[in-house]
Amino acid sequence: TYGMTPLHRMASNNLAAGAKMLLEAGADASNKGQIGATPMSIARDSAASAVIDVLRDAERKSTSGSKTNVIKLNVMGSKEVPEING
């Protein structure tokens, strides 16, 4: 992967639909990966305007305080599922 996360790959190739799906699944847009650059940086360097728009939209949503993507998981059959992020 050359130090890139899947979101970095979407950014470098201007694959907005893939970037949006990864973000909706919980991908971290601030993760610099092993390459030391954020997906936004990669998108800008690649002139990936569609991904830039997706990343900006995700940033706006993340600062709104919404927890709509937070789910509880029952890991390995445990009887109790702890509260996640409040």
Coordinates of all heavy atoms in Angstrom, one line a residue:
T1 N 0.8 -1.2 0.0 CA 0.0 0.0 0.0 C 0.9 1.3 0.0 O 0.3 2.4 0.0 CB -1.0 0.0 1.2 OG1 -0.2 0.1 2.4 CG2 -1.9 -1.1 1.2
Y2 N 2.2 1.1 0.1 CA 3.1 2.2 0.1 C 2.8 3.3 1.1 O 3.0 4.4 1.0 CB 3.1 2.9 -1.3 CG 3.4 1.9 -2.4 CD1 2.4 1.4 -3.2 CD2 4.7 1.5 -2.7 CE1 2.7 0.5 -4.3 CE2 5.0 0.6 -3.7 CZ 4.0 0.1 -4.5 OH 4.3 -0.8 -5.4
G3 N 2.3 2.8 2.3 CA 2.0 3.7 3.4 C 0.7 4.4 3.3 O 0.4 5.3 4.1
M4 N -0.1 4.1 2.3 CA -1.4 4.8 2.1 C -2.5 4.0 2.7 O -2.5 2.8 2.6 CB -1.7 5.1 0.7 CG -0.8 6.1 0.0 SD -1.4 6.4 -1.7 CE -0.9 8.0 -2.0
T5 N -3.5 4.7 3.3 CA -4.7 4.0 3.7 C -5.7 3.9 2.5 O -5.4 4.6 1.5 CB -5.4 4.8 4.8 OG1 -5.9 6.0 4.3 CG2 -4.5 5.1 6.0
P6 N -6.7 3.1 2.6 CA -7.7 3.1 1.5 C -8.2 4.5 1.2 O -8.5 4.8 0.0 CB -8.8 2.2 2.0 CG -8.1 1.2 2.9 CD -7.0 2.1 3.6
L7 N -8.4 5.3 2.2 CA -8.9 6.7 1.9 C -7.9 7.5 1.2 O -8.3 8.3 0.3 CB -9.3 7.4 3.2 CG -10.0 8.7 3.1 CD1 -11.3 8.6 2.2 CD2 -10.4 9.2 4.5
H8 N -6.6 7.3 1.4 CA -5.6 8.0 0.7 C -5.7 7.6 -0.8 O -5.5 8.4 -1.7 CB -4.2 7.6 1.2 CG -3.8 8.3 2.4 ND1 -3.9 7.6 3.7 CD2 -3.3 9.5 2.7 CE1 -3.4 8.5 4.6 NE2 -3.1 9.6 4.0
R9 N -5.9 6.3 -1.0 CA -6.0 5.8 -2.4 C -7.2 6.4 -3.2 O -7.1 6.8 -4.3 CB -6.2 4.2 -2.4 CG -4.9 3.5 -2.0 CD -3.9 3.6 -3.1 NE -2.8 2.8 -2.7 CZ -1.6 2.9 -3.2 NH1 -1.5 3.7 -4.3 NH2 -0.6 2.3 -2.8
M10 N -8.3 6.5 -2.5 CA -9.5 7.2 -3.1 C -9.1 8.6 -3.4 O -9.5 9.1 -4.5 CB -10.7 7.1 -2.1 CG -11.2 5.8 -1.8 SD -11.7 4.8 -3.2 CE -10.5 3.5 -3.1
A11 N -8.4 9.3 -2.5 CA -8.0 10.7 -2.8 C -7.1 10.8 -3.9 O -7.2 11.7 -4.8 CB -7.4 11.3 -1.5
S12 N -6.1 9.9 -4.0 CA -5.1 10.1 -5.1 C -5.7 9.8 -6.5 O -5.1 10.2 -7.5 CB -3.9 9.2 -4.8 OG -4.2 7.8 -4.9
N13 N -6.8 9.0 -6.5 CA -7.4 8.7 -7.8 C -8.7 9.4 -8.0 O -9.4 9.0 -9.0 CB -7.6 7.1 -7.8 CG -6.2 6.4 -7.9 OD1 -5.5 6.6 -8.9 ND2 -5.9 5.7 -6.8
N14 N -9.1 10.3 -7.2 CA -10.3 11.1 -7.3 C -11.6 10.2 -7.4 O -12.4 10.4 -8.2 CB -10.3 12.0 -8.5 CG -11.3 13.2 -8.4 OD1 -11.7 13.5 -7.3 ND2 -11.7 13.7 -9.5
L15 N -11.6 9.2 -6.5 CA -12.7 8.3 -6.4 C -13.7 8.7 -5.3 O -13.6 8.2 -4.2 CB -12.2 6.9 -6.2 CG -11.3 6.4 -7.4 CD1 -10.7 5.0 -7.0 CD2 -12.1 6.3 -8.7
A16 N -14.5 9.7 -5.6 CA -15.4 10.3 -4.6 C -16.3 9.3 -3.9 O -16.6 9.3 -2.7 CB -16.1 11.5 -5.2
A17 N -16.9 8.4 -4.7 CA -17.9 7.5 -4.2 C -17.2 6.5 -3.2 O -17.8 6.3 -2.1 CB -18.6 6.7 -5.3
G18 N -16.1 6.1 -3.5 CA -15.3 5.2 -2.6 C -14.9 5.9 -1.3 O -15.0 5.4 -0.2
A19 N -14.5 7.2 -1.5 CA -14.1 8.0 -0.3 C -15.3 8.2 0.6 O -15.2 8.1 1.8 CB -13.5 9.3 -0.8
K20 N -16.5 8.5 0.0 CA -17.7 8.7 0.8 C -18.1 7.4 1.6 O -18.4 7.5 2.7 CB -18.8 9.1 -0.1 CG -20.1 9.5 0.6 CD -21.1 10.0 -0.3 CE -22.4 10.4 0.6 NZ -23.5 10.8 -0.3
M21 N -18.0 6.3 0.9 CA -18.3 5.0 1.6 C -17.4 4.7 2.7 O -17.8 4.3 3.8 CB -18.3 3.9 0.6 CG -19.5 3.9 -0.4 SD -19.9 2.4 -1.3 CE -18.3 2.1 -2.1
L22 N -16.1 5.0 2.5 CA -15.1 4.7 3.5 C -15.3 5.6 4.7 O -15.3 5.2 5.9 CB -13.7 4.9 3.0 CG -13.1 3.8 2.1 CD1 -11.9 4.3 1.4 CD2 -12.9 2.5 2.9
L23 N -15.6 6.9 4.5 CA -15.9 7.8 5.6 C -17.2 7.4 6.3 O -17.2 7.5 7.5 CB -16.0 9.3 5.0 CG -14.7 9.9 4.6 CD1 -14.9 11.1 3.7 CD2 -13.8 10.2 5.7
E24 N -18.2 7.0 5.6 CA -19.5 6.6 6.3 C -19.2 5.3 7.1 O -19.9 5.1 8.1 CB -20.5 6.4 5.2 CG -21.1 7.6 4.6 CD -22.0 7.4 3.4 OE1 -22.2 6.3 3.0 OE2 -22.6 8.4 3.0
A25 N -18.2 4.5 6.7 CA -17.9 3.3 7.5 C -17.0 3.6 8.6 O -16.7 2.7 9.4 CB -17.3 2.3 6.5
G26 N -16.6 4.9 8.8 CA -15.7 5.2 9.9 C -14.3 5.5 9.6 O -13.5 5.7 10.6
A27 N -13.9 5.6 8.4 CA -12.5 6.0 8.1 C -12.1 7.3 8.7 O -13.0 8.2 8.7 CB -12.3 6.0 6.5
D28 N -10.9 7.4 9.1 CA -10.4 8.6 9.8 C -9.8 9.5 8.7 O -8.7 9.3 8.3 CB -9.4 8.3 10.9 CG -8.9 9.4 11.6 OD1 -9.3 10.6 11.3 OD2 -8.0 9.2 12.5
A29 N -10.4 10.7 8.4 CA -9.9 11.6 7.4 C -8.6 12.3 7.9 O -7.9 12.9 7.1 CB -11.0 12.6 7.0
S30 N -8.3 12.2 9.2 CA -7.1 12.9 9.7 C -5.9 12.0 9.8 O -4.8 12.4 10.1 CB -7.4 13.5 11.1 OG -7.7 12.5 12.0
N31 N -6.1 10.7 9.5 CA -5.0 9.7 9.5 C -4.0 10.0 8.4 O -4.3 10.0 7.3 CB -5.6 8.3 9.4 CG -4.6 7.2 9.5 OD1 -3.4 7.5 9.5 ND2 -5.0 6.0 9.7
K32 N -2.8 10.2 8.9 CA -1.7 10.5 7.9 C -1.1 9.3 7.3 O -0.2 9.4 6.4 CB -0.7 11.4 8.5 CG -1.2 12.8 8.9 CD -0.1 13.7 9.4 CE -0.6 15.1 9.7 NZ 0.4 16.0 10.2
G33 N -1.4 8.1 7.8 CA -0.8 6.9 7.3 C 0.7 6.9 7.5 O 1.2 7.8 8.1
Q34 N 1.3 6.0 6.9 CA 2.8 5.9 6.9 C 3.5 7.0 6.0 O 4.7 7.2 6.1 CB 3.3 4.5 6.6 CG 2.9 3.5 7.7 CD 3.3 2.1 7.3 OE1 3.8 1.8 6.2 NE2 3.1 1.2 8.3
I35 N 2.7 7.6 5.1 CA 3.2 8.6 4.2 C 3.3 9.9 4.8 O 3.9 10.8 4.3 CB 2.5 8.6 2.9 CG1 1.0 9.0 3.1 CG2 2.6 7.3 2.1 CD1 0.3 9.3 1.8
G36 N 2.7 10.1 6.0 CA 2.8 11.4 6.7 C 1.9 12.5 6.1 O 2.2 13.7 6.3
A37 N 0.9 12.2 5.3 CA 0.0 13.2 4.7 C -1.4 12.8 4.9 O -1.8 11.6 4.8 CB 0.3 13.4 3.2
T38 N -2.3 13.8 5.1 CA -3.7 13.5 5.2 C -4.3 13.2 3.9 O -3.8 13.6 2.8 CB -4.5 14.7 5.9 OG1 -4.4 15.8 5.0 CG2 -4.0 15.0 7.2
P39 N -5.4 12.5 3.9 CA -6.1 12.3 2.6 C -6.4 13.6 1.9 O -6.4 13.7 0.6 CB -7.4 11.5 3.0 CG -7.0 10.8 4.2 CD -6.1 11.7 4.9
M40 N -6.8 14.7 2.6 CA -7.0 16.0 2.0 C -5.8 16.5 1.3 O -5.9 17.0 0.2 CB -7.5 17.0 3.1 CG -7.8 18.4 2.5 SD -9.1 18.4 1.3 CE -10.5 18.6 2.3
S41 N -4.6 16.3 1.9 CA -3.4 16.7 1.3 C -3.1 16.0 0.0 O -2.8 16.6 -1.0 CB -2.2 16.4 2.2 OG -1.8 17.5 2.9
I42 N -3.4 14.7 0.0 CA -3.2 13.9 -1.2 C -4.2 14.3 -2.3 O -3.9 14.4 -3.4 CB -3.4 12.4 -0.9 CG1 -2.4 11.9 0.2 CG2 -3.4 11.5 -2.1 CD1 -0.9 12.0 -0.3
A43 N -5.4 14.6 -1.9 CA -6.5 15.0 -2.8 C -6.1 16.3 -3.5 O -6.2 16.5 -4.7 CB -7.8 15.1 -2.1
R44 N -5.6 17.3 -2.7 CA -5.2 18.6 -3.2 C -4.0 18.4 -4.2 O -4.0 19.0 -5.2 CB -4.8 19.5 -2.1 CG -6.0 20.0 -1.3 CD -5.6 21.0 -0.3 NE -6.7 21.5 0.4 CZ -6.8 21.7 1.8 NH1 -5.7 21.4 2.5 NH2 -7.9 22.1 2.3
D45 N -3.0 17.6 -3.8 CA -1.8 17.4 -4.6 C -2.2 16.7 -5.9 O -1.6 16.9 -7.0 CB -0.8 16.5 -3.9 CG -0.1 17.2 -2.8 OD1 -0.2 18.5 -2.7 OD2 0.6 16.5 -2.0
S46 N -3.3 15.9 -5.9 CA -3.7 15.2 -7.1 C -4.8 15.9 -7.9 O -5.3 15.4 -8.8 CB -4.3 13.8 -6.7 OG -3.3 13.1 -6.0
A47 N -5.2 17.1 -7.4 CA -6.2 17.9 -8.0 C -7.5 17.1 -8.1 O -8.3 17.1 -9.1 CB -5.8 18.4 -9.4
A48 N -7.8 16.3 -7.0 CA -9.0 15.5 -6.9 C -10.2 16.2 -6.4 O -10.5 16.1 -5.2 CB -8.6 14.2 -6.1
S49 N -10.7 17.1 -7.2 CA -11.8 18.0 -6.7 C -13.0 17.3 -6.1 O -13.6 17.8 -5.1 CB -12.2 19.0 -7.8 OG -12.7 18.3 -8.9
A50 N -13.4 16.2 -6.7 CA -14.6 15.5 -6.2 C -14.3 14.9 -4.8 O -15.2 15.0 -3.9 CB -15.0 14.4 -7.1
V51 N -13.1 14.4 -4.6 CA -12.8 13.9 -3.2 C -12.6 15.0 -2.2 O -13.0 14.9 -1.1 CB -11.5 13.0 -3.3 CG1 -11.1 12.6 -1.9 CG2 -11.9 11.7 -4.1
I52 N -12.0 16.1 -2.7 CA -11.9 17.3 -1.8 C -13.3 17.7 -1.3 O -13.5 18.0 -0.1 CB -11.2 18.5 -2.5 CG1 -9.7 18.1 -2.8 CG2 -11.4 19.8 -1.8 CD1 -9.0 19.1 -3.7
D53 N -14.3 17.7 -2.2 CA -15.7 18.1 -1.8 C -16.2 17.1 -0.7 O -16.8 17.5 0.2 CB -16.6 18.1 -3.0 CG -16.3 19.3 -3.9 OD1 -15.6 20.2 -3.5 OD2 -16.8 19.2 -5.1
V54 N -16.0 15.8 -1.0 CA -16.4 14.7 0.0 C -15.7 14.9 1.3 O -16.4 14.8 2.4 CB -16.1 13.3 -0.6 CG1 -16.3 12.3 0.5 CG2 -17.0 13.1 -1.8
L55 N -14.4 15.2 1.3 CA -13.7 15.3 2.6 C -14.2 16.6 3.3 O -14.3 16.6 4.5 CB -12.2 15.4 2.3 CG -11.6 14.1 1.9 CD1 -10.2 14.3 1.4 CD2 -11.6 13.0 3.0
R56 N -14.4 17.7 2.6 CA -14.9 18.9 3.2 C -16.3 18.7 3.9 O -16.6 19.1 5.0 CB -15.0 20.0 2.2 CG -13.6 20.6 1.9 CD -13.8 21.8 1.0 NE -12.5 22.4 0.8 CZ -12.1 23.0 -0.4 NH1 -13.0 23.2 -1.3 NH2 -10.9 23.5 -0.5
D57 N -17.1 18.0 3.1 CA -18.5 17.7 3.6 C -18.4 16.8 4.9 O -19.1 17.0 5.9 CB -19.3 16.9 2.6 CG -20.7 16.7 3.0 OD1 -21.4 17.7 3.5 OD2 -21.2 15.6 2.8
A58 N -17.5 15.8 4.9 CA -17.3 15.0 6.1 C -16.8 15.8 7.2 O -17.2 15.5 8.4 CB -16.3 13.8 5.7
E59 N -15.9 16.7 7.0 CA -15.4 17.6 8.0 C -16.5 18.4 8.7 O -16.5 18.5 9.9 CB -14.3 18.4 7.5 CG -13.6 19.3 8.5 CD -12.5 20.1 7.9 OE1 -11.5 19.6 7.3 OE2 -12.5 21.4 8.0
R60 N -17.3 19.0 7.8 CA -18.4 19.8 8.3 C -19.4 18.9 9.2 O -19.8 19.3 10.3 CB -19.3 20.4 7.2 CG -18.7 21.6 6.6 CD -19.6 22.3 5.7 NE -19.9 21.5 4.5 CZ -19.2 21.5 3.4 NH1 -18.1 22.3 3.3 NH2 -19.5 20.8 2.3
K61 N -19.6 17.7 8.8 CA -20.5 16.8 9.5 C -19.9 16.4 10.9 O -20.5 16.3 11.9 CB -20.9 15.6 8.7 CG -21.8 15.9 7.6 CD -22.1 14.6 6.8 CE -23.1 14.9 5.7 NZ -23.3 13.8 4.8
S62 N -18.6 16.2 10.9 CA -17.9 15.7 12.1 C -17.8 16.8 13.1 O -17.8 16.5 14.3 CB -16.5 15.2 11.8 OG -15.6 16.2 11.5
T63 N -17.8 18.0 12.7 CA -17.8 19.1 13.7 C -19.1 19.5 14.2 O -19.3 20.3 15.1 CB -17.1 20.4 13.1 OG1 -17.8 20.8 11.9 CG2 -15.6 20.1 12.7
S64 N -20.2 18.9 13.7 CA -21.5 19.2 14.1 C -21.9 18.4 15.4 O -23.0 18.7 15.9 CB -22.5 18.9 13.0 OG -22.7 17.5 12.8
G65 N -21.1 17.5 15.8 CA -21.3 16.8 17.0 C -22.2 15.5 16.8 O -22.6 14.9 17.8
S66 N -22.5 15.2 15.6 CA -23.4 14.0 15.3 C -22.7 12.7 15.7 O -21.5 12.6 15.4 CB -23.8 14.1 13.9 OG -24.5 12.9 13.5
K67 N -23.4 11.8 16.2 CA -22.9 10.5 16.5 C -23.7 9.4 15.7 O -23.8 8.3 16.2 CB -23.0 10.2 18.0 CG -22.1 11.1 18.8 CD -22.2 10.7 20.3 CE -21.3 11.6 21.1 NZ -21.5 11.2 22.6
T68 N -24.1 9.8 14.6 CA -25.0 8.8 13.8 C -24.3 7.6 13.3 O -24.9 6.6 13.1 CB -25.6 9.5 12.6 OG1 -24.6 10.1 11.8 CG2 -26.6 10.6 13.0
N69 N -23.0 7.6 13.2 CA -22.2 6.5 12.8 C -21.8 5.5 13.9 O -21.2 4.5 13.7 CB -21.0 6.9 12.0 CG -21.3 7.1 10.5 OD1 -22.3 6.7 10.0 ND2 -20.3 7.6 9.8
V70 N -22.0 5.9 15.1 CA -21.6 5.2 16.3 C -22.6 4.0 16.5 O -23.8 4.2 16.6 CB -21.5 6.0 17.6 CG1 -21.1 5.1 18.7 CG2 -20.5 7.1 17.4
I71 N -22.0 2.8 16.5 CA -22.8 1.6 16.7 C -22.2 0.8 17.9 O -21.1 0.9 18.2 CB -23.0 0.8 15.5 CG1 -21.6 0.3 15.0 CG2 -23.7 1.5 14.4 CD1 -21.6 -0.7 13.9
K72 N -23.1 0.0 18.5 CA -22.6 -0.9 19.5 C -22.4 -2.2 18.9 O -23.2 -2.7 18.1 CB -23.6 -1.0 20.6 CG -23.8 0.3 21.4 CD -24.8 0.1 22.5 CE -25.0 1.3 23.3 NZ -26.0 1.1 24.4
L73 N -21.3 -2.9 19.3 CA -21.0 -4.2 18.8 C -20.9 -5.2 19.9 O -20.4 -4.9 21.0 CB -19.6 -4.2 18.0 CG -19.5 -3.3 16.8 CD1 -18.1 -3.3 16.3 CD2 -20.4 -3.7 15.7
N74 N -21.5 -6.4 19.7 CA -21.4 -7.4 20.7 C -20.2 -8.3 20.2 O -20.2 -9.0 19.3 CB -22.6 -8.3 20.7 CG -22.6 -9.3 21.7 OD1 -21.5 -9.7 22.2 ND2 -23.8 -9.8 22.1
V75 N -19.0 -8.1 20.9 CA -17.8 -8.7 20.5 C -17.6 -10.0 21.2 O -17.7 -10.2 22.4 CB -16.6 -7.8 20.8 CG1 -15.3 -8.4 20.4 CG2 -16.8 -6.4 20.2
M76 N -17.4 -11.0 20.4 CA -17.1 -12.4 20.8 C -18.2 -12.9 21.8 O -17.9 -13.6 22.8 CB -15.7 -12.5 21.4 CG -14.7 -12.2 20.4 SD -13.0 -12.2 21.0 CE -12.8 -13.9 21.4
G77 N -19.4 -12.6 21.6 CA -20.5 -13.1 22.4 C -20.6 -12.6 23.8 O -21.3 -13.2 24.6
S78 N -20.0 -11.5 24.1 CA -20.1 -10.9 25.4 C -21.6 -10.6 25.7 O -22.3 -10.2 24.8 CB -19.2 -9.7 25.6 OG -19.7 -8.7 24.7
K79 N -22.0 -10.7 27.0 CA -23.4 -10.4 27.3 C -23.7 -9.0 27.4 O -24.8 -8.5 27.2 CB -23.7 -11.2 28.6 CG -23.7 -12.7 28.5 CD -24.3 -13.4 29.6 CE -24.0 -14.8 29.6 NZ -24.7 -15.7 28.8
E80 N -22.7 -8.2 27.8 CA -22.9 -6.7 27.9 C -22.2 -6.0 26.8 O -21.1 -6.4 26.3 CB -22.3 -6.2 29.2 CG -23.1 -6.7 30.4 CD -22.5 -6.1 31.7 OE1 -22.1 -5.0 31.7 OE2 -22.6 -6.8 32.7
V81 N -22.8 -5.0 26.3 CA -22.3 -4.2 25.2 C -22.1 -2.8 25.8 O -23.0 -2.1 26.1 CB -23.2 -4.1 24.0 CG1 -22.6 -3.2 22.9 CG2 -23.5 -5.5 23.4
P82 N -20.8 -2.4 26.0 CA -20.6 -1.1 26.7 C -21.0 0.1 25.8 O -21.0 0.0 24.6 CB -19.0 -1.1 26.9 CG -18.5 -2.0 25.9 CD -19.6 -3.1 25.7
E83 N -21.3 1.2 26.5 CA -21.6 2.4 25.8 C -20.4 2.9 25.1 O -19.3 2.9 25.6 CB -22.1 3.5 26.8 CG -22.6 4.7 26.1 CD -23.9 4.5 25.3 OE1 -24.7 3.6 25.7 OE2 -24.1 5.2 24.4
I84 N -20.5 3.3 23.8 CA -19.4 3.8 23.0 C -19.5 5.3 22.8 O -20.5 5.8 22.3 CB -19.3 3.1 21.7 CG1 -19.1 1.6 21.9 CG2 -18.1 3.6 20.8 CD1 -19.3 0.8 20.6
N85 N -18.5 6.0 23.2 CA -18.5 7.5 23.0 C -19.7 8.2 23.6 O -20.2 9.1 23.0 CB -18.4 7.9 21.5 CG -17.1 7.4 20.9 OD1 -16.1 7.4 21.6 ND2 -17.1 7.2 19.6
G86 N -20.1 7.8 24.8 CA -21.2 8.5 25.5 C -22.5 8.0 25.0 O -23.5 8.4 25.1

